[in-house]
DNA sequence: TAGATTGTTAATCGATTAACAATC
DNA sequence: TAGATTGTTAATCGATTAACAATC
């Protein structure tokens, strides 16, 4: 594994490989080829090989990549071996669903606490604290939190982002359908359901139209 | 608006424009320039102009695009003026959060019912029915549902997808971190939280490393 | 008219795919 | 050795950006 700069497209495909590899049964062969991976995930084999070359120190011709090692390499590359503390803002349904999601520790993500403008309880079902939003910046500073997860309605998102940044956060994961203005150096990752819906909707429109045309 | 084939990249940016335009205050000017839009969303103005050219029949030099008309053009292009019936499978926390999200009708999305392997209630909080998963295919067929939303754990996702396809569905929106094998013609849109987390995690790793290096 | 803004045509950039040599 | 598979180098493709002419 050489320290090349990785492109975002490659980066986004890595979790797919990782999930597949981790889900393989215990009794599966210890090695797997890029070809096999590509087929399983419906991708081109050259692409898979090139992607893996970015994170792994190589497979062996005729044999493939050692599965355990590959899993480790990807996890290390993605930083899943270090835990990241995060806060979540907006303890509505979506927020609570995320707070309760067990799978995040696989990604090294640890949500410390939730914040809400008007907390209805003082703890989530899982027992994590819910604080009023006024404590947000201070909490981030004192706990050295680097990541904020925004699950408030669109109108409130920018204000929350401002407070997160004031608290010293470096990355924001937002589920609010709103563009966020942030200073350089802060990463905003939009979990954009509207984008997905657009892709789906256009596909369906085309399907419906096609069907009509066929019937004519 | 000429009937050109649109690229996925353009398509994915359209919802951003739409949301911004719809959120503009009532008393804002009736026209808006691509330049203004680009600045507001932190994008290149040429890109915005080119994107808009795909869906709109044109702005006027010096004046820009008529906001109302533009909103309409984008909505029509994305098919948000036609409602799409959908079913959701997996009435867990995330599923319930999505069932309760009011904003979907803006996108023309109408979730008819939820399905679950072991329904705990017969209706969601909003009063939509929750059926056992055994009724899934039949329901899709009889209601001519074209879209399925999967919010079950990864292990169950492929089986649910199979049943959706058996029910005649044409598009799948899945929140399960699992690759789905589907026949050609069926669109799978992955709402891939793992992907987002990877991008965030790598950014934070770099931040942390940078900070260390600076302190040295 | 002058200048802001549009739309188009050409140039650049990056990512994917194809071809091929290396190797176990 | 032969063949599967790797990694690399070159070719293609698509998307973004830059340059510029058109227009209100």
């Amino acid at each position: 594994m050489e320290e090349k700069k990785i492109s975002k497209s490659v980066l986004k495909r890595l979790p797919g490989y990782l999930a597949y590899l981790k889900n393989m049964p215990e009794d599966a062969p210890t090695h797997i080829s890029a070809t096999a991976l590509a087929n399983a995930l419906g991708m081109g084999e050259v692409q898979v090989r090139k992607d893996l070359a970015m994170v792994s120190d190589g497979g062996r011709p005729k044999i493939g990549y050692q599965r355990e090692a590959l899993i480790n390499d990807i996890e290390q590359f993605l930083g899943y071996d270090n835990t990241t503390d995060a806060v979540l803002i907006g303890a509505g349904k979506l927020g609570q669903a995320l707070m309760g999601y067990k799978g995040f520790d696989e990604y090294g993500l640890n949500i410390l606490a939730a914040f809400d403008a008007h907390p209805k309880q003082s703890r989530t079902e899982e027992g994590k604290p819910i604080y009023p939003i006024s404590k947000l910046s201070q909490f981030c500073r004192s706990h050295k939190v680097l990541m904020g997860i925004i699950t408030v309605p669109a109108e409130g998102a920018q204000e929350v982002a401002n407070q997160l940044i004031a608290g010293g956060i470096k990355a924001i994961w937002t589920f609010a359908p709103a563009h966020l203005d942030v200073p350089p150096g802060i990463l905003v990752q939009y979990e954009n359901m509207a984008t997905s819906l657009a892709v789906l909707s256009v596909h369906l429109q085309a399907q419906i139209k096609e069907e009509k045309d066929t019937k004519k």
Side-chain angles (χ1 to χ4, degrees), chain A residues 101-164:
Chain A
Y101 182 57
K102 304 285 191 308
F104 284 144
D105 44 357
E106 268 197 62
Y107 307 110
L109 181 68
N110 180 31
I111 306 180
L112 295 178
F115 292 81
D116 200 281
H118 307 289
K120 294 194 181 63
Q121 312 111 50
S122 66
R123 299 202 162 263
T124 66
E125 277 181 41
E126 293 77 28
K128 297 209 175 147
I130 307 179
Y131 299 118
I133 218 161
S134 52
K135 311 261 184 189
L136 180 57
S137 297
Q138 200 198 339
F139 184 93
C140 292
R141 282 239 169 271
S142 59
H143 289 77
K144 294 203 168 58
V145 178
L146 292 180
M147 181 167 149
I149 305 170
I150 301 184
T151 53
V152 302
E155 309 83 69
Q158 181 67 58
E159 175 54 25
V160 168
N162 296 345
Q163 298 205 29
L164 284 170

Side-chain angles (χ1 to χ4, degrees), chain A residues 94 150-157 173-180 190-192:
Chain A
L94 177 59
I150 301 184
T151 53
V152 302
E155 309 83 69
W173 190 17
T174 177
F175 291 74
H179 168 82
L180 299 180
Y190 297 92
E191 193 66 44
N192 209 332

Side-chain angles (χ1 to χ4, degrees), chain A residues 40-53:
Chain A
L41 300 177
M43 307 172 63
E45 58 168 308
V46 187
Q47 184 167 70
V48 173
R49 211 170 284 129
K50 238 178 177 170
D51 288 352
L52 296 186

Side-chain angles (χ1 to χ4, degrees), chain A residues 190-204:
Chain A
Y190 297 92
E191 193 66 44
N192 209 332
M193 310 221 180
T195 289
S196 297
L197 276 172
V199 176
L200 288 160
S201 180
V202 167
H203 172 82
L204 285 177

Side-chain angles (χ1 to χ4, degrees), chain A residues 79-98:
Chain A
Y80 290 172
D81 47 350
N82 302 335
T83 49
T84 304
D85 287 338
V87 291
L88 180 146
I89 305 92
K93 282 187 192 170
L94 177 59
Q96 299 255 5
L98 292 176

